[in-house]
Amino acid sequence: MTGALHLIGRTLPDDQPVQLWVVDGILHTEPVADATTICESGWILPGLVDAHCHVGIRFGGGHTDHDEMVADARVEREAGVLLLRDAGSPVDTRILDAYEDLPRIIRAGRHLARPKRYIRDLSIDLADPERLPDAVAEQARAGDGWVKLVGDWIDREVGDLAPLWSPEILKAAIDAAHAEGARVTAHVFGEQALVDLVGAGIDCIEHGTGLTDETIEMMVEHDTALVPTLINIETFPQIADGAGKFPRYADHMRDLHRRVADTIGRAHDAGIRIFAGTDAGGSIRHGRIADEIAALIGVGLSPLEALGAASWDAREWLGRPGLEPGQRADLVVYREDPRTPAGVPDHPDLTVVGRHVFRP
Ligand SMILES: [Zn+2]
């Protein structure tokens, strides 16, 4: 589409009437002559955010190639996701930056783990855990301001979830990331690793199913963010079913799953900042942000909070603009009020990415 565009609607969270113009893919809030009106009513939101989305990991396992990355990013766009934080990718996705109609990606480099302590072929596995601070600094330089650690995983000798790193190494590693200007997040399912990671000053926790009153309080104190990836937690019973030789681990996973609504609900009640992430990639299909928004409402976020967790609040947290003049037009429009107990439709009624306009 060429020429100036014009949109009329209401914005959230303030619920005020708004008019926007798009010229050469850039947002304007002052009237522009001869613009084509593409939206006369509806709710206009900053493009949705999936804060945990692996475009580099193939569904079912393995690394995605170029065409699969483009296809996966397109599916995210069709769901209204125009910004994603990859939370770790085994492949370099920067080739996608050349496509101006695809979502923007905030990269976290490669997952950092130890041998046999994460999904095969995805992580950099450190035989010597003392190397973690150096490895973190390298990944901080390779990413876009985030580093991803594997905080806990099954330890086959213990037969249960167990932390990968000592509290001392974590402190040194997180300090090293901060010295590079990067934030750190970690995959955590169980209880103990949360004590160590939050105590060491980590910036965000992924999953967080093992949160207790103690670690919830610690996260509030440290202002640690949480991306619970609730639709991924739904796969825990399958993980448990496949854990034949490790009954203690299987029971632990089933228990974490059974309590998840209460756990994340209590974290929200305590005031922890929660953001929407689907964990699309290996075990979750792309394009499911609407399901995660609905799941967040299901554990106690209001519809407006859950939308903010997948749009304006997530953008502010990630340091990316919302509907701001002079910035690339990244927005979605819902014809009906999206603040419903069931969440939002799977596809917005209109999506604008720079100079590109999409309707389902
Ligand atoms: Zn993930």
Side-chain angles (χ1 to χ4, degrees):
M1 185 155 320
T2 56
L5 309 175
H6 176 215
L7 297 96
I8 307 167
R10 302 182 77 81
T11 52
L12 291 175
D14 50 350
D15 202 2
Q16 293 298 312
V18 68
Q19 293 196 53
L20 297 169
W21 289 263
V22 181
V23 182
D24 292 333
I26 302 297
L27 264 187
H28 293 251
T29 48
E30 298 297 326
V32 174
D34 301 323
T36 306
T37 301
I38 57 168
C39 166
E40 290 180 345
S41 70
W43 275 260
I44 306 174
L45 275 49
L48 300 185
V49 180
D50 187 337
H52 188 140
C53 183
H54 306 281
V55 159
I57 302 176
R58 179 180 291 152
F59 182 77
H63 304 184
T64 48
D65 64 23
H66 173 257
D67 290 352
E68 290 168 311
M69 281 195 265
V70 171
D72 288 345
R74 218 168 256 157
V75 169
E76 292 296 344
R77 183 193 66 212
E78 286 164 8
V81 172
L82 303 184
L83 177 65
L84 55 93
R85 186 184 61 144
D86 72 12
S89 172
V91 293
D92 188 349
T93 59
R94 284 186 198 281
I95 194 154
L96 296 181
D97 293 349
Y99 294 77
E100 61 170 52
D101 60 337
L102 290 181
R104 291 290 171 258
I105 303 180
I106 296 172
R107 296 169 182 83
R110 294 191 61 183
H111 299 73
L112 294 173
R114 293 177 61 190
K116 297 190 164 64
R117 297 298 302 280
Y118 194 53
I119 301 164
R120 187 197 294 265
D121 294 337
L122 290 190
S123 45
I124 294 175
D125 298 333
L126 306 180
D128 177 8
E130 300 286 324
R131 269 214 66 236
L132 186 65
D134 290 342
V136 160
E138 281 161 31
Q139 294 310 309
R141 292 192 284 269
D144 300 318
W146 283 90
V147 176
K148 173 75 177 289
L149 308 180
V150 176
D152 67 3
W153 196 253
I154 184 171
D155 181 332
R156 287 169 175 81
E157 280 165 31
V158 178
D160 198 354
L161 291 168
L164 269 68
W165 319 98
S166 72
E168 296 71 30
I169 282 295
L170 286 173
K171 177 81 173 69
I174 291 164
D175 287 350
H178 291 167
E180 296 286 342
R183 290 185 271 183
V184 184
T185 193
H187 162 109
V188 198
F189 285 166
E191 289 82 358
Q192 181 55 45
L194 286 165
V195 178
D196 303 340
L197 288 157
V198 178
I202 200 162
D203 302 280
C204 181
I205 293 293
E206 311 299 309
H207 318 303
T209 42
L211 280 166
T212 60
D213 288 344
E214 181 200 358
T215 44
I216 286 172
E217 200 174 302
M218 286 175 74
M219 282 183 73
V220 171
E221 212 170 282
H222 287 82
D223 194 24
T224 320
L226 175 63
V227 179
T229 69
L230 292 168
I231 62 170
N232 182 29
I233 309 308
E234 288 169 16
T235 68
F236 277 20
Q238 285 155 254
I239 297 174
D241 289 348
K245 280 187 293 182
F246 304 103
R248 212 172 115 202
Y249 168 70
D251 287 349
H252 197 171
M253 294 296 284
R254 286 195 187 92
D255 184 53
L256 293 169
H257 172 259
R258 188 176 49 74
R259 295 187 285 114
V260 64
D262 179 61
T263 304
I264 306 303
R266 280 186 296 122
H268 174 246
D269 290 346
I272 291 174
R273 292 184 296 160
I274 293 177
F275 300 102
T278 64
D279 211 355
S283 59
I284 299 292
R285 296 271 183 198
H286 283 281
R288 295 192 56 199
I289 194 68
D291 292 332
E292 184 65 21
I293 291 170
L296 289 170
I297 295 169
V299 300
L301 276 71
S302 72
L304 186 68
E305 286 172 333
L307 274 171
S311 178
W312 56 90
D313 286 334
R315 283 174 173 269
E316 190 186 1
W317 172 61
L318 293 168
R320 298 300 167 104
L323 300 176
E324 286 163 33
Q327 300 289 345
R328 184 174 89 145
D330 264 10
L331 60 88
V332 294
V333 181
Y334 294 100
R335 214 175 291 134
E336 307 291 334
D337 190 339
R339 294 166 295 178
T340 74
V344 294
D346 289 342
H347 305 282
D349 295 300
L350 177 71
T351 299
V352 177
V353 190
R355 21 179 135 234
H356 304 267
V357 176
F358 300 95
R359 295 177 200 273

